[in-house]
C-alpha cells in the first residue's frame, strides 16, 4: 500500500522538558513511603532520608547522617519532612482521542449497558469517528491538558494506546501524538498499538480481514516507524475472539514486540492464559479472571492491571479476584484507564483510593500499584517505579503526614514537589536550597 512518508516528529517543547531547572543536589529530610525506596545502606526507623541527584540520575539513597563524604559539598534541597514516593506510573491509558462521550454517560444512567451502547453504534466506534476527523495537531491540543492533569499529580511515566483510529493513517496519527506529548512535556511515554480495539464500520462482518490488516499491514508499518513499544488487543465478545487475539500476538512476536491484553473485562474469554503464554507484560481489567488465568499469569510474571475507574463508571459489580491474585503473588498495578467511554479519570490518587475502597487493596498495595508494579506492566521496572540509585530522578514529595493520606483523600490534589527526568517541574512544597550542613 502506498504511503505518504510521515513528517519528522520534531516538535518544540513549550510544556517543560529541558526548560525546567535541574534537580541536581542532595535532597534531604524526607520520609520514604514504605517499600518504594531502595536505600544503599540500612536506615534506622524514623531517620530522615536523603537522595543524591547527579546529572539527572539518583546517585545514592540513604539516611542523611550517612551521606558519603564525596557528596557532602553538593548543594542541598530541604524537603522539610515530606513523604516521598517514586514518580507515579499510569500504565494503561487511551489518552489521545477526538471528542468526548458524555452522551453515553447519560444513556447508561438511563439504563443502557456498555455493551448495548456499543452494539447501537456508540462506544469505541463513536470515538473512532471523532478521532479520524481530527488532525494530529488537534489531537495533541485535546490530549495536552489531560496529560497535564496527570503530570500535576506526579505522573512520571505513562502508557498511551492507539485504538481510536482503526486504520493505518489514523492509528499512526494517535501514536505520533503520543510520542510528541512525551517529548513536549518531558515525560516517559510508552506507546501501545491497539489496532485490535474494535471492528471499524467499514469491516463490519469481516473480522478476519481486519485482523489480517492489523497483523500484516498496520503493525509492521507502525513498528517500522518506531511508534510501537507494545501491542494490545481487546479480547471480548464485543471485540476480538481468542483466535484473533492470538494472531495479533503472533504478529507482535515476529517483530519482537511485547504484548498486553484487555482481558476478561466483561466475560471470561481465557484471554489471560493466552496472553501469559506469549509472556505478556500485563493483563488488564480482569474482572472475570479465572483460577487458570491467575496461575498462568503467575508463571509468566505477568502483571495484573486493575482499573477501578472503569469498574466504577460502568457500575460493575463483578469484582476482580483480588484475594486470589494476592495469594498467588501476582503483582497488582492500578491505573486510570483514561478513556472517553468507560473511565474519564484524570487522577492516579483517586484510582488508588478506589482500588482500596472498591477492590479492598491495602494502602501499601495501592501505592505499589501506582508505582512499582505499574512500571513492571510497561517493562520499565529497571528505570521507574522505585526511588533507587542508578535510576533517572523521578520522585514526588507530598505535603502529607503519612503515606496513607495519598489513598485517603477523595478528589484532593495535594500541592506536591515533583522531580521528573531530573528536573524540578513543580514545587508546591516550596522546597528551597538549604545552605546549612546536614540541613540541621
Ligand atoms: O479500557 N475495554 C475496552 N477499551 C476501553 C474502553 C474504550 C472506550 O469505551 O472507548 C477500556 O475500558
Ligand atoms: Fe483500556
Amino acid at each position: 500500500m502506498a504511503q505518504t512518508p510521515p513528517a519528522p516528529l520534531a516538535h518544540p517543547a513549550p510544556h517543560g522538558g529541558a526548560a525546567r531547572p535541574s534537580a541536581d543536589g542532595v535532597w534531604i529530610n524526607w520520609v520514604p513511603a514504605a517499600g518504594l525506596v531502595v536505600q544503599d545502606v540500612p536506615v534506622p526507623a524514623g531517620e530522615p532520608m536523603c537522595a543524591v541527584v547527579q546529572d539527572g540520575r539518583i546517585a545514592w539513597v540513604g539516611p542523611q547522617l550517612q551521606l558519603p563524604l564525596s557528596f557532602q559539598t553538593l548543594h542541598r534541597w530541604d524537603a522539610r519532612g515530606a513523604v516521598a514516593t517514586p514518580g507515579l506510573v499510569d500504565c494503561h491509558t487511551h489518552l489521545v482521542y477526538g471528542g468526548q462521550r458524555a452522551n453515553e454517560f447519560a444513556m447508561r444512567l438511563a439504563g443502557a449497558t456498555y455493551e448495548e451502547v456499543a452494539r447501537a453504534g456508540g462506544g469505541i466506534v463513536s470515538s473512532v469517528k471523532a478521532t479520524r476527523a481530527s488532525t494530529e495537531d488537534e489531537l495533541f491540543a485535546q490530549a495536552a491538558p489531560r496529560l497535564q492533569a496527570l503530570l500535576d499529580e506526579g505522573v512520571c511515566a505513562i502508557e498511551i494506546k492507539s485504538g481510536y483510529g482503526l486504520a493505518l493513517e489514523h492509528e499512526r496519527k494517535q501514536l505520533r501524538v503520543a510520542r510528541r506529548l512525551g517529548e513536549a512535556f518531558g515525560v516517559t511515554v510508552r506507546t501501545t498499538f491497539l489496532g485490535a480495539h474494535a471492528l471499524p464500520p467499514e469491516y463490519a462482518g469481516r473480522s478476519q480481514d481486519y485482523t489480517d490488516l492489523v497483523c500484516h499491514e498496520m503493525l509492521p508499518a507502525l513498528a517500522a516507524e518506531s511508534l510501537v513499544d507494545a501491542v494490545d488487543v481487546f479480547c471480548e465478545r464485543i471485540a476480538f475472539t481468542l483466535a484473533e487475539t492470538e494472531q495479533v500476538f503472533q504478529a507482535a512476536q515476529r517483530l519482537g514486540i511485547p504484548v498486553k491484553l484487555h482481558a476478561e473485562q466483561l466475560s471470561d474469554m481465557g484471554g489471560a492464559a493466552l496472553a501469559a503464554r506469549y509472556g505478556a507484560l500485563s493483563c488488564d481489567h480482569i474482572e472475570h479472571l479465572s483460577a487458570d488465568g491467575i496461575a498462568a499469569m503467575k508463571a509468566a510474571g505477568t502483571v495484573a492491571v486493575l482499573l477501578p475507574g472503569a469498574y466504577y463508571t460502568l457500575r460493575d459489580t463483578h469484582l476482580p479476584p483480588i484475594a486470589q491474585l494476592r495469594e498467588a503473588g501476582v503483582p497488582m498495578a492500578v491505573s486510570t484507564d483514561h478513556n472517553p467511554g468507560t473511565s474519564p479519570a484524570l487522577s492516579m490518587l483517586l484510582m488508588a483510593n478506589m482500588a482500596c475502597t472498591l477492590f479492598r487493596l491495602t494502602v501499601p498495595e495501592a501505592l505499589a500499584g501506582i508505582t512499582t508494579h505499574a512500571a513492571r506492566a510497561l517493562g520499565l521496572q529497571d528505570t521507574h517505579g522505585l526511588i533507587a540509585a542508578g535510576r533517572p530522578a523521578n520522585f514526588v514529595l507530598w505535603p502529607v503526614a503519612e503515606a496513607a493520606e495519598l489513598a485517603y483523600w477523595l478528589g484532593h490534589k495535594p500541592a506536591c514537589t515533583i522531580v521528573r527526568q531530573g528536573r524540578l517541574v513543580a514545587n508546591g512544597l516550596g522546597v528551597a536550597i538549604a545552605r546549612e550542613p546536614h540541613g540541621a
Side-chain angles (χ1 to χ4, degrees), residues 92-94 159 161 164 194 197 232 234 262 265 284-285 307 310 336-339 342-343:
H92 179 143
T93 87
H94 310 248
E159 186 238 28
K161 300 177 195 290
Y164 291 121
L194 179 56
H197 193 198
D232 192 354
F234 186 18
H262 279 73
Q265 180 185 11
D284 305 37
H285 286 288
L307 304 170
T336 60
D337 188 17
H338 177 88
N339 75 73
T342 64
S343 191

Side-chain angles (χ1 to χ4, degrees), residues 257-281:
I257 301 173
V259 300
K260 37 182 52 231
L261 190 66
H262 279 73
E264 344 292 25
Q265 180 185 11
L266 309 171
S267 59
D268 179 11
M269 303 275 293
L274 172 73
R277 281 215 306 282
Y278 282 81
L281 290 170

